[in-house]
Amino acid sequence: MKAEGIEKYKVEKLKDAQSRVSELERAFQQTKTGIWEYDTASREIKWSPEVYKIYGLSQNSTPPHLEEIIRFSSKEEQDQIHDTITMAMINGTPYSIFCEIEDRKGCRKYIRATGAATKDESGAVRRLFGTICDLSDHQEKQKQLLFTDLTIERISEGIYWFDDKLRFIRVNQAAADLLGYTKEELMGKRGLDINPSFSFEKSRALWLETKAKGSLTFNTIHLRKDGTELPVEITNNIILWEGKEFKCSVVRDITERRNNELKLLKAYNEIESLKNKLEKQNSYLREEIKVQYNFDEIIADNKKCKQLLKRLEQVSRTSSTVLIVGETGTGKELFARAIHNLSDRKDNTLIKINCAALPPQLVESELFGHEKGAFTGATNRRIGKFELADKSTLFLDEVGEMPLDIQAKLLRVLQEGEFERVGGNEIIRVDARIIAATNKNLEEAISNREFREDLYYRLNVFPLNPIPLRQRKSDIPALVSHFLKKFEKRMSKTIDSISEETMEKLMNYDWPGNIRELENVIERAMITSERILELGEWLPVRLPDHSGSKFLDKERALIIEALVKTNGKVSGAGGAAELLGINAKTLESKIRKLQIDKRDLHQ
């Protein structure tokens, strides 16, 4: 029974030892460390699972012989490793070897192999045992740290590291070179020593701002060791490492940049000075050019025309709706284009539509677009003019010819800035400025129920009335010169002169077709003339009786005369309406139509 107890005790001790070995192996596995044992007599090798893993071998395979294990290492190291292990086997000398191996799968690894020996009673080495640790990750990190350190030292920007008291704890070589110190001389110095314009409180405030923002870049002046100033750009960063905050500054020499900026500033000031001088010298000339040539081919030297162009320029700076009412050929489209080109919408295309040129059934589709299948022939969705004019200007020419049902839809766009495509139910919002033009008397059209009164007042926010050519004949010479240059370029021919007789005929003609008629006459004359402009039969010698135009001029003169007599009073007792024997509202309508204002009463 005693022998059985002893045997049971041995088994328990063996199990306990095996359990401890298993725990030790698990602990080693966490550090990528394996355990090995070598019997010198039987030459048998035992490995823990981690050693198999390190050498890239299957745990089911038999561990290779010692000589084969040594061949896992590089050829340059094999002899030294063999000698070290041989000495351990002979003398029992402990060893520790660091080497590079290539495992069975072809992966390169860094390992540390340690070994120790046990001897028998005769002193001979009976057994070797030890560990093999995979240090590849650690070695890779060491390489990365070495590379990072090398990069920091080779980089052209200076780098400082500070402690909580803003003392240097490390600088790279570039920083030392910028400041003219050695790296050792800077250790222990404070940031304030190289930046005397800063106080400790100001520096601390900058670092607090850096912490709040993540990084902070600013310019300042550093003081070199020799006392000279160094303009620098600094980027501050906060680095957390092992629970501590470190302050790091990247410093760049901006001497060249600052010198270039000073040169640019000096050059800019010189240019600005010259610009101001030229502006003062040419202010009168620029004003004349602005009046005559800054309105897209609108040639105007007449006093009333200049006043009209001034109003045009004023309204162009706004987004107000403009209604241009004038006779045929007075340049209504040119006015619209000039307003657009002088506005802040000029970078977008002016969208135009002639309301009189389209069949009534197509005007709605042209303005608002249509969906696919909205009507016969609508095979695709079409974008209308209003959508195209979003953030731009829409010019509605001959708006007086627009059908009444479309006028209602146009009114909605003007009021609410929204519409639906024909055949659609999606509400489309647009920001389009409206410029409308007509040669029609819209007030008469309202009386005849041909034009909506509410739409008229929506369009007539800012009225412009181009002056007929017969009322601005002083502009005819300039207009003739303009058209000659235009057609000379187009026809590749030159007109050297215009006879006084020709110019007199042009000045005496009433021009019922206004500037467009004048342009056509000059073009015809250019075709048939050589060197000297001859009108030929293109302009009748006897002036035609344009009774309509003459009647309006006479009517205008009578109204002005009546207003002068009544000191500008229109309605009521003693007013111009009573003097002329007409209704006061009718007279007010005629005053607007004939463009009579207070200035006309003092001519």
Side-chain angles (χ1 to χ4, degrees):
M1 294 294 293
K2 187 176 182 179
E4 290 178 359
I6 293 173
E7 188 64 29
K8 183 177 181 181
Y9 174 77
K10 288 182 179 180
V11 170
E12 289 177 354
K13 294 294 284 184
L14 179 62
K15 287 181 178 179
D16 183 56
Q18 289 175 341
S19 176
R20 291 182 181 180
V21 169
S22 297
E23 290 179 4
L24 187 61
E25 285 183 350
R26 284 194 295 273
F28 279 161
Q29 283 177 358
Q30 294 178 358
T31 59
K32 295 187 177 182
T33 302
I35 305 170
W36 61 271
E37 181 182 2
Y38 177 67
D39 189 308
T40 57
S42 64
R43 302 185 69 181
E44 181 185 5
I45 296 177
K46 294 180 180 180
W47 281 354
S48 69
E50 190 64 26
V51 179
Y52 283 96
K53 186 176 179 181
I54 291 173
Y55 281 100
L57 297 171
S58 170
Q59 294 185 31
N60 297 325
S61 62
T62 303
H65 294 295
L66 183 61
E67 291 78 6
E68 190 176 349
I69 294 173
I70 293 174
R71 285 197 292 272
F72 278 97
S73 58
S74 63
K75 291 182 179 180
E76 294 79 9
E77 297 175 314
Q78 287 178 11
D79 290 342
Q80 183 180 353
I81 294 171
H82 182 274
D83 293 343
T84 300
I85 294 175
T86 300
M87 291 299 297
M89 293 173 65
I90 296 173
N91 302 324
T93 307
Y95 67 85
S96 176
I97 301 171
F98 178 80
C99 64
E100 183 179 4
I101 67 167
E102 183 176 327
D103 69 12
R104 185 62 56 82
K105 297 177 181 179
C107 297
R108 303 187 72 83
K109 297 178 180 178
Y110 294 93
I111 66 168
R112 180 170 295 282
T114 62
T118 57
K119 298 179 180 180
D120 59 16
E121 295 177 355
S122 65
V125 173
R126 180 73 181 82
R127 187 169 64 94
L128 290 175
F129 61 91
T131 62
I132 296 177
C133 181
D134 185 352
L135 298 176
S136 301
D137 291 344
H138 174 75
Q139 190 66 16
E140 187 61 32
K141 290 179 181 178
Q142 286 294 107
K143 282 185 176 181
Q144 290 177 2
L145 287 173
L146 181 62
F147 178 75
T148 301
D149 194 64
L150 180 64
T151 302
I152 288 172
E153 290 302 318
R154 295 286 180 88
I155 200 169
S156 60
E157 285 88 358
I159 306 178
Y160 314 147
W161 288 263
F162 301 98
D163 62 15
D164 289 339
K165 296 182 179 179
L166 302 182
R167 292 176 301 196
F168 290 104
I169 56 175
R170 182 181 174 181
V171 297
N172 68 348
Q173 189 59 49
D177 293 341
L178 282 174
L179 297 171
Y181 290 92
T182 64
K183 293 168 67 174
E184 292 72 22
E185 287 174 333
L186 285 172
M187 291 303 98
K189 283 185 176 293
R190 301 180 307 160
L192 301 179
D193 295 333
I194 62 166
N195 207 345
S197 64
F198 276 26
S199 63
F200 183 83
E201 290 74 18
K202 183 177 180 180
S203 295
R204 186 177 179 185
L206 283 173
W207 283 109
L208 288 173
E209 187 178 355
T210 301
K211 187 174 181 179
K213 293 182 177 179
S215 67
L216 181 67
T217 299
F218 59 94
N219 294 345
T220 187
I221 300 293
H222 277 353
L223 200 63
R224 292 191 180 97
K225 183 179 179 180
D226 61 7
T228 58
E229 292 185 346
L230 173 69
V232 294
E233 178 188 76
I234 295 180
T235 300
N236 280 352
N237 295 277
I238 299 289
I239 298 174
L240 294 175
W241 179 255
E242 294 183 345
K244 293 182 180 180
E245 284 187 359
F246 293 90
K247 300 171 175 65
C248 176
S249 295
V250 179
V251 186
R252 304 169 189 86
D253 182 355
I254 59 171
T255 303
E256 185 177 356
R257 186 203 302 178
R258 192 175 71 162
N259 290 339
N260 289 336
E261 288 174 351
L262 291 173
K263 289 178 182 177
L264 285 172
L265 181 61
K266 182 179 178 182
Y268 173 79
N269 289 335
E270 290 177 355
I271 292 170
E272 193 67 19
S273 176
L274 289 171
K275 178 184 174 184
N276 292 335
K277 186 176 180 181
L278 284 171
E279 284 184 353
K280 290 178 181 178
Q281 291 175 346
N282 297 315
S283 59
Y284 175 77
L285 177 60
R286 287 189 294 107
E287 185 62 30
E288 289 299 308
I289 291 173
K290 181 178 180 182
V291 170
Q292 294 194 31
Y293 300 106
N294 198 34
F295 293 97
D296 289 280
E297 300 182 345
I298 299 176
I299 308 300
D301 192 46
N302 177 276
K303 182 180 178 181
K304 289 186 178 180
C305 286
K306 287 183 179 180
Q307 293 170 351
L308 184 64
L309 294 183
K310 183 66 176 177
R311 294 179 64 198
L312 184 152
E313 183 182 18
Q314 290 170 336
V315 76
S316 67
R317 304 190 197 112
T318 72
S319 292
S320 298
T321 301
V322 179
L323 178 61
I324 305 172
V325 179
E327 297 178 14
T328 299
T330 51
K332 295 185 288 296
E333 184 175 337
L334 290 181
F335 273 58
R337 192 186 308 151
I339 293 170
H340 174 75
N341 289 341
L342 290 171
S343 74
D344 57 5
R345 300 169 183 254
K346 62 181 179 296
D347 293 332
N348 297 319
T349 304
L350 171 68
I351 305 301
K352 299 178 288 184
I353 181 171
N354 190 316
C355 300
L358 291 170
Q361 62 270 25
L362 292 182
V363 173
E364 182 179 9
S365 172
E366 192 72 16
L367 278 174
F368 308 114
H370 62 253
E371 297 290 349
K372 181 179 179 181
F375 50 83
T376 304
T379 56
N380 294 294
R381 170 189 283 184
R382 177 168 180 168
I383 302 299
K385 299 295 187 184
F386 264 104
E387 282 185 79
L388 291 175
D390 189 30
K391 302 296 186 297
S392 187
T393 305
L394 177 61
F395 176 48
L396 300 173
D397 198 8
E398 303 297 349
V399 70
E401 307 302 324
M402 183 178 289
L404 280 169
D405 58 330
I406 307 301
Q407 291 179 30
K409 296 186 177 182
L410 174 60
L411 180 63
R412 178 191 173 192
V413 182
L414 292 174
Q415 289 175 331
E416 303 173 15
E418 63 182 35
F419 62 92
E420 294 101 19
R421 297 191 191 101
V422 177
N425 53 20
E426 177 188 359
I427 294 177
I428 299 168
R429 300 185 182 276
V430 292
D431 172 22
R433 182 191 193 159
I434 304 300
I435 301 176
T438 184
N439 61 359
K440 194 172 185 178
N441 188 327
L442 293 183
E443 292 178 344
E444 290 184 5
I446 292 170
S447 300
N448 296 332
R449 299 178 180 269
E450 296 172 351
F451 202 83
R452 293 178 63 103
E453 186 174 12
D454 48 4
L455 177 59
Y456 170 73
Y457 287 114
R458 279 286 178 181
L459 293 174
N460 198 34
V461 175
F462 195 91
L464 288 177
N465 304 102
I467 300 170
L469 186 55
R470 64 181 176 278
Q471 295 178 14
R472 45 175 290 207
K473 289 189 175 182
S474 59
D475 287 336
I476 289 177
L479 288 166
V480 171
S481 177
H482 169 75
F483 290 136
L484 283 176
K485 290 178 182 177
K486 176 180 176 180
F487 294 128
E488 281 178 347
K489 186 175 181 181
R490 184 187 298 176
M491 299 180 187
S492 300
K493 66 186 298 185
T494 302
I495 296 297
D496 295 330
S497 63
I498 306 173
S499 67
E500 291 184 9
E501 181 184 359
T502 298
M503 185 57 71
E504 186 177 355
K505 290 180 180 179
L506 294 172
M507 294 291 288
N508 289 334
Y509 188 60
D510 274 350
W511 300 108
N514 293 293
I515 297 172
R516 187 179 299 143
E517 183 183 9
L518 174 62
E519 182 179 10
N520 292 341
V521 168
I522 298 302
E523 183 174 7
R524 295 176 197 141
M526 279 279 294
I527 294 172
T528 58
S529 299
E530 297 293 337
R531 313 302 294 180
I532 299 174
L533 187 71
E534 298 288 348
L535 292 179
E537 298 180 357
W538 297 121
L539 194 68
V541 176
R542 292 178 61 191
L543 300 181
D545 182 16
H546 299 290
S547 56
S549 299
K550 287 187 175 182
F551 173 78
L552 290 175
D553 289 343
K554 289 179 181 179
E555 185 179 35
R556 190 174 190 276
L558 285 172
I559 293 173
I560 290 174
E561 183 181 353
L563 288 169
V564 170
K565 288 180 180 180
T566 61
N567 292 320
K569 185 177 180 180
V570 177
S571 59
E578 183 181 89
L579 185 62
L580 294 169
I582 60 176
N583 183 275
K585 289 188 176 180
T586 302
L587 178 58
E588 289 174 353
S589 174
K590 289 181 178 291
I591 289 172
R592 288 194 297 271
K593 175 183 176 182
L594 296 171
Q595 304 171 34
I596 298 172
D597 57 33
K598 292 181 180 180
R599 290 185 293 272
D600 293 316
L601 307 183
H602 301 289
Q603 291 182 350

